[in-house]
Amino acid sequence: MLNFDFYNPTRIAFGKGKVAEIDKLVPAEARVLIVYGGSSAKKNGTLDEVKAALGGRYVEEFSGVEPNPTYETLIKAVAQIKANRLDYLLAVGGGSVIDGTKFVAAAVYAEGDPWEILLQRGANVKQAMPYGTVLTLPATGSEMNDGSVISRTETASGLHDKLYFTSEHVFPQFSVLDPTKTYTLPPRQLANGVVDAYTHIMEQYLTYPVEARVQDRFAEGLLQTLIEIGPKILQNPQDYDLQANFMWVATLALNGLIGSGVPSDWATHMIGHEITALHGLDHAQTLAIILPTMLSLRRDAKRAKLLQYAERVWHISEGTEDARIEAAIQNTRAFFESLSVPTRLSAYNISADAIPALLAQLESHGMVKLGEHQDVTLDKSREVLEASI
Amino acid sequence: MLNFDFYNPTRIAFGKGKVAEIDKLVPAEARVLIVYGGSSAKKNGTLDEVKAALGGRYVEEFSGVEPNPTYETLIKAVAQIKANRLDYLLAVGGGSVIDGTKFVAAAVYAEGDPWEILLQRGANVKQAMPYGTVLTLPATGSEMNDGSVISRTETASGLHDKLYFTSEHVFPQFSVLDPTKTYTLPPRQLANGVVDAYTHIMEQYLTYPVEARVQDRFAEGLLQTLIEIGPKILQNPQDYDLQANFMWVATLALNGLIGSGVPSDWATHMIGHEITALHGLDHAQTLAIILPTMLSLRRDAKRAKLLQYAERVWHISEGTEDARIEAAIQNTRAFFESLSVPTRLSAYNISADAIPALLAQLESHGMVKLGEHQDVTLDKSREVLEASI
């Protein structure tokens, strides 16, 4: 097992009716900015419920955070906070709204250009405004971690940037996880959430063995649970227990626990980010495209873990090692397809012509040595993209 | 899944060489009291290493915390803190030292009789002195939770008390988990640690199904890991990866995670505490005695989970349901015995004559309706004790 540090102070309030507990979780004298995305939080009543729970506190709203939250939008929230002396944020939404709120929380205290937070990957964040979240879309795990991914459409380089930062200062103080809030999600968002959580687990699990037995068992348990419930949840989005398990899996998939003491990959994510930045695909769609190809083309370096994955997650114990590995990768692809998330670039009308621009983006962002062995060079990324057509 | 709240702000510094990080983890101006047990922390060099890491800070020591830490001893540490204006505690040891430090941390601020903290189960704890821990014996999980068990030999009732309290104020600020610190543990303590962690998991897992798929998978993963490494670790106590996995399992077994959203039992622990209080057996010995009998006598109410346990943890899928349940319980007993922890009261020279006094203790402590269904009455506890001879 590798040495590690684990720290996660986010308080989780999980279950039906937990939104009401916001009244206890937010300081009584707080001046609150509720941050949310589009109209769904309004339509499904969650916004009203949150406001009711906040009681007599002074509350303002900031809406319009995009599915890939942009610097250009979020910086307006920073201005609103400063103008009206707000001091507590409440994110109501999915990973995009929460990621955006993290950036706002840090940017309020930024000295100089807030975009430096992204360029320095969070190293310059010295404090952040406290905030809580009400999760309405399980997927990214942002509700219980210190990471955030922000896009910028107008940058000095002329590129469309999608960059991440992390900082212990931006852990949510609390997150309300009420599985009933996901009942009205469209199937595409539910399916995306399953793919996103699945890939988060794989990025931390499917590398090479380091005798981290607990982390492996936990990761395998999360993957098995997603395989069990993924297709069912699309058929029965109002099944409480299915949604509860989905929500808790997605949170645990990226709260630091299963990634502690093990190597991690993240090459799939980095390439995926560039596809979203240039072509606007949903984050999860990019993962569904890249992950199976990535596993396939790096099967030698990932051999031991692929065999373990085949046996423990997919219960494949017959056939040669190569056949078992191939079957496990095919099962992964078929699982994503069974959720109606296509796993080929061509299904999204992206052809080989797009690859040079994607590689240029990777290069400009310094993504030239990715993966647990830092051996996913631009050449390897090209191979992966070519094989993903 | 049941509704739940999860909160755990303890920072974990895990791995070889992590003791040195204490210098970053303890405030620079802290006046520190190092709390430890007997001579082992001195002999194996951990105490010196800790003191070196504390650099120029003002440091005092308090030694002599017993394997079942007593009020009588700990209250002396409280006096030392007050007399010398100490403001930070550092527990160096196993669960007993850490549990004792939790009590000291809370008792420093107690209004009135500090024993009330135990009598009120921690409800009256309003603040506690900050502290960190350096774990030298994996077993209780105390290094990453907010619970503590304290004994008192002289009480108003004339009984020997062993009571617990919990309070969010007594989470450790940090815990250093260096697996090399366990290399010199005697086999009995290692074996006890495995049994203790195993039983912690079972108390939270082996109840009745509530569609908590993640928690079940995590618990099963922890149990499987203990089964894999338990016997090996006694043969190879200086195997880093075995000790690392043991340490991390024991911590995760009782840090609130696998118990979130599920019913829990704890009847085995409550009966076990009374056996320790009256007969001085090691905590884990009492668990090894009571758990198999408890499962056996409550197999109807625990039927569904026992079948799941048999299949997923012990890979028993052949035979009638009753036969599978019986085999799983027998495997559990055999596992404890394989660690040289006897599973019968008679092996410790305790006969049926001892049962009335144990039942009187349970009654005096209000332990008359135990278990996930609150149906472990004194009569049921008698049956369990009689069947454990």
Side-chain angles (χ1 to χ4, degrees):
Chain A
M1 198 183 300
L2 309 183
N3 280 9
F4 66 85
D5 296 298
F6 177 81
Y7 172 64
N8 194 320
T10 300
R11 187 183 296 271
I12 299 295
F14 192 103
K16 204 180 288 189
K18 285 288 192 175
V19 169
E21 294 190 6
I22 289 174
D23 190 34
K24 291 187 302 185
L25 295 166
V26 175
E29 70 290 355
R31 292 170 59 85
V32 182
L33 182 66
I34 300 178
V35 181
Y36 60 101
S39 54
S40 66
K42 261 191 180 152
K43 268 193 297 191
N44 63 25
T46 305
L47 200 66
D48 284 340
E49 201 181 339
V50 166
K51 283 198 261 187
L54 283 167
R57 293 174 183 83
Y58 179 77
V59 172
E60 294 190 13
E61 295 180 26
F62 182 87
S63 67
V65 179
E66 306 92 340
N68 292 294
T70 67
Y71 172 83
E72 289 83 353
T73 296
L74 298 167
I75 208 71
K76 295 176 194 161
V78 175
Q80 185 175 343
I81 290 165
K82 289 182 176 174
N84 301 333
R85 293 172 294 108
L86 307 176
D87 57 18
Y88 203 96
L89 307 178
L90 191 53
V92 179
S96 302
V97 170
I98 301 171
D99 277 14
T101 302
K102 283 176 182 167
F103 174 72
V104 171
V108 166
Y109 296 110
E111 298 169 8
D113 181 4
W115 188 242
E116 278 292 317
I117 294 169
L118 277 303
L119 296 178
Q120 295 190 33
R121 302 275 188 255
N124 55 337
V125 176
K126 298 286 178 274
Q127 68 177 122
M129 188 161 281
Y131 73 99
T133 89
V134 178
L135 184 67
T136 60
L137 169 55
T140 73
S142 188
E143 64 277 9
M144 199 184 183
N145 68 33
D146 65 350
S148 166
V149 180
I150 303 295
S151 297
R152 187 167 186 177
T153 50
E154 306 287 338
T155 62
S157 64
L159 292 166
H160 296 254
D161 283 346
K162 183 170 181 180
L163 301 177
Y164 71 88
F165 80 100
T166 62
S167 167
E168 281 195 4
H169 299 290
V170 299
F171 276 109
Q173 286 199 329
F174 69 83
S175 284
V176 175
L177 274 56
D178 178 345
T180 68
K181 297 300 167 209
T182 64
Y183 283 0
T184 55
L185 285 172
R188 173 167 152 181
Q189 290 198 24
L190 282 172
N192 279 349
V194 173
V195 171
D196 197 13
Y198 197 94
T199 309
H200 287 161
I201 303 160
M202 292 291 278
E203 298 270 30
Q204 299 165 90
Y205 167 70
L206 213 302
T207 57
Y208 55 90
V210 294
E211 277 282 335
R213 294 168 187 249
V214 181
Q215 294 88 328
D216 281 2
R217 292 284 185 192
F218 278 18
E220 289 152 0
L222 293 173
L223 292 170
Q224 286 173 285
T225 304
L226 284 176
I227 292 166
E228 288 168 10
I229 67 178
K232 286 185 196 162
I233 216 165
L234 295 180
Q235 300 301 317
N236 311 286
Q238 307 211 358
D239 181 309
Y240 182 83
D241 281 315
L242 288 176
Q243 292 284 14
N245 279 289
F246 175 34
M247 204 169 228
W248 197 216
V249 168
T251 299
L252 292 170
L254 198 55
N255 79 338
L257 184 64
I258 64 168
S260 289
V262 297
S264 59
D265 185 339
W266 298 111
T268 293
H269 267 72
M270 295 306 121
I271 298 177
H273 284 176
E274 304 302 353
I275 300 175
T276 297
L278 290 194
H279 299 276
L281 267 63
D282 297 347
H283 175 55
Q285 293 172 335
T286 71
L287 305 176
I289 293 164
I290 300 298
L291 181 66
T293 319
M294 189 70 83
L295 296 177
S296 189
L297 292 184
R298 291 165 66 199
R299 69 177 68 196
D300 290 338
K302 290 177 179 290
R303 187 172 187 85
K305 279 315 252 311
L306 280 167
L307 286 166
Q308 184 177 322
Y309 172 61
E311 181 181 343
R312 293 197 189 168
V313 176
W314 292 107
H315 311 296
I316 300 168
S317 49
E318 309 270 301
T320 65
E321 287 189 359
D322 287 338
R324 279 178 267 155
I325 288 172
E326 183 59 30
I329 296 171
Q330 287 308 322
N331 281 7
T332 307
R333 185 184 293 280
F335 176 61
F336 294 159
E337 295 276 356
S338 79
L339 301 167
S340 301
V341 182
T343 61
R344 292 288 177 189
L345 282 167
S346 52
Y348 304 89
N349 298 314
I350 298 174
S351 68
D353 301 345
I355 294 176
L358 291 167
L359 294 171
Q361 290 268 122
L362 281 170
E363 190 169 15
S364 79
H365 293 140
M367 304 292 177
V368 296
K369 284 183 179 179
L370 300 172
E372 66 272 21
H373 294 297
Q374 300 281 288
D375 60 354
V376 181
T377 59
L378 284 182
D379 276 346
K380 181 59 84 175
S381 291
R382 176 185 291 110
E383 279 181 54
V384 168
L385 285 163
E386 286 172 351
S388 300
I389 299 294
Chain B
M1 198 183 299
L2 309 183
N3 279 10
F4 67 85
D5 295 298
F6 177 80
Y7 173 63
N8 193 320
T10 300
R11 187 183 296 270
I12 298 296
F14 192 103
K16 205 180 289 190
K18 286 288 192 174
V19 168
E21 295 190 6
I22 289 174
D23 190 35
K24 291 187 302 185
L25 295 165
V26 175
E29 71 290 354
R31 291 171 60 84
V32 182
L33 182 66
I34 300 177
V35 181
Y36 59 101
S39 55
S40 66
K42 261 191 183 153
K43 267 192 296 191
N44 63 25
T46 305
L47 199 66
D48 284 340
E49 202 182 337
V50 165
K51 283 198 260 187
L54 283 168
R57 293 174 182 83
Y58 179 77
V59 172
E60 294 191 14
E61 295 180 25
F62 182 87
S63 68
V65 180
E66 306 91 339
N68 292 292
T70 65
Y71 171 83
E72 289 83 354
T73 295
L74 298 167
I75 208 71
K76 294 177 196 162
V78 174
Q80 185 175 343
I81 290 165
K82 289 182 177 175
N84 301 334
R85 292 172 294 107
L86 308 177
D87 57 18
Y88 202 96
L89 307 178
L90 192 53
V92 179
S96 302
V97 171
I98 301 171
D99 277 15
T101 301
K102 283 175 181 167
F103 174 72
V104 171
V108 167
Y109 296 111
E111 298 168 10
D113 181 4
W115 188 243
E116 277 293 316
I117 293 169
L118 278 302
L119 296 178
Q120 296 190 33
R121 302 275 188 255
N124 55 338
V125 177
K126 298 286 178 274
Q127 68 177 123
M129 186 161 284
Y131 73 100
T133 89
V134 178
L135 184 67
T136 59
L137 170 54
T140 72
S142 188
E143 63 278 8
M144 199 184 181
N145 68 33
D146 64 351
S148 167
V149 180
I150 304 295
S151 296
R152 188 167 185 175
T153 51
E154 305 287 337
T155 63
S157 64
L159 292 167
H160 296 255
D161 284 346
K162 184 170 180 178
L163 302 177
Y164 71 89
F165 80 100
T166 63
S167 166
E168 281 196 2
H169 298 289
V170 299
F171 276 109
Q173 286 198 330
F174 68 84
S175 283
V176 175
L177 274 56
D178 178 344
T180 68
K181 297 299 166 210
T182 64
Y183 283 179
T184 55
L185 285 172
R188 173 167 152 182
Q189 290 198 24
L190 282 172
N192 279 348
V194 173
V195 171
D196 198 13
Y198 197 95
T199 308
H200 287 160
I201 303 160
M202 291 290 278
E203 298 271 31
Q204 300 165 88
Y205 166 69
L206 212 302
T207 57
Y208 55 90
V210 294
E211 277 282 336
R213 293 169 188 249
V214 182
Q215 293 89 327
D216 282 1
R217 292 282 186 193
F218 278 18
E220 288 152 1
L222 294 173
L223 292 170
Q224 285 173 283
T225 303
L226 283 177
I227 292 166
E228 286 168 11
I229 67 177
K232 285 184 197 164
I233 216 164
L234 295 180
Q235 299 301 316
N236 311 286
Q238 307 211 359
D239 180 308
Y240 182 82
D241 282 315
L242 288 176
Q243 292 284 13
N245 279 289
F246 175 36
M247 206 169 227
W248 197 217
V249 167
T251 299
L252 292 170
L254 198 55
N255 78 339
L257 184 65
I258 64 168
S260 289
V262 297
S264 60
D265 185 337
W266 298 110
T268 293
H269 267 72
M270 294 307 121
I271 297 177
H273 284 176
E274 304 302 354
I275 300 174
T276 297
L278 290 195
H279 299 276
L281 267 62
D282 296 349
H283 174 56
Q285 292 172 334
T286 71
L287 304 176
I289 294 165
I290 300 297
L291 181 66
T293 318
M294 189 70 84
L295 296 177
S296 188
L297 291 184
R298 291 164 66 199
R299 67 178 69 197
D300 291 337
K302 290 177 179 292
R303 188 171 187 85
K305 278 316 250 314
L306 279 168
L307 286 166
Q308 183 175 324
Y309 172 62
E311 183 180 342
R312 292 196 187 169
V313 175
W314 291 107
H315 310 296
I316 299 167
S317 49
E318 309 270 300
T320 65
E321 288 189 359
D322 287 338
R324 280 178 267 154
I325 288 171
E326 183 59 29
I329 296 171
Q330 287 308 321
N331 281 7
T332 307
R333 186 184 293 280
F335 176 61
F336 295 159
E337 294 276 356
S338 79
L339 301 167
S340 301
V341 183
T343 61
R344 293 287 177 190
L345 282 167
S346 53
Y348 304 89
N349 298 314
I350 298 173
S351 67
D353 301 346
I355 294 176
L358 291 168
L359 293 171
Q361 289 268 121
L362 281 170
E363 189 168 16
S364 80
H365 293 140
M367 304 293 177
V368 295
K369 285 183 179 178
L370 300 171
E372 65 272 19
H373 294 296
Q374 299 281 286
D375 60 355
V376 181
T377 59
L378 283 182
D379 276 346
K380 180 61 82 176
S381 291
R382 177 185 291 111
E383 278 180 54
V384 169
L385 284 164
E386 286 172 352
S388 301
I389 298 296

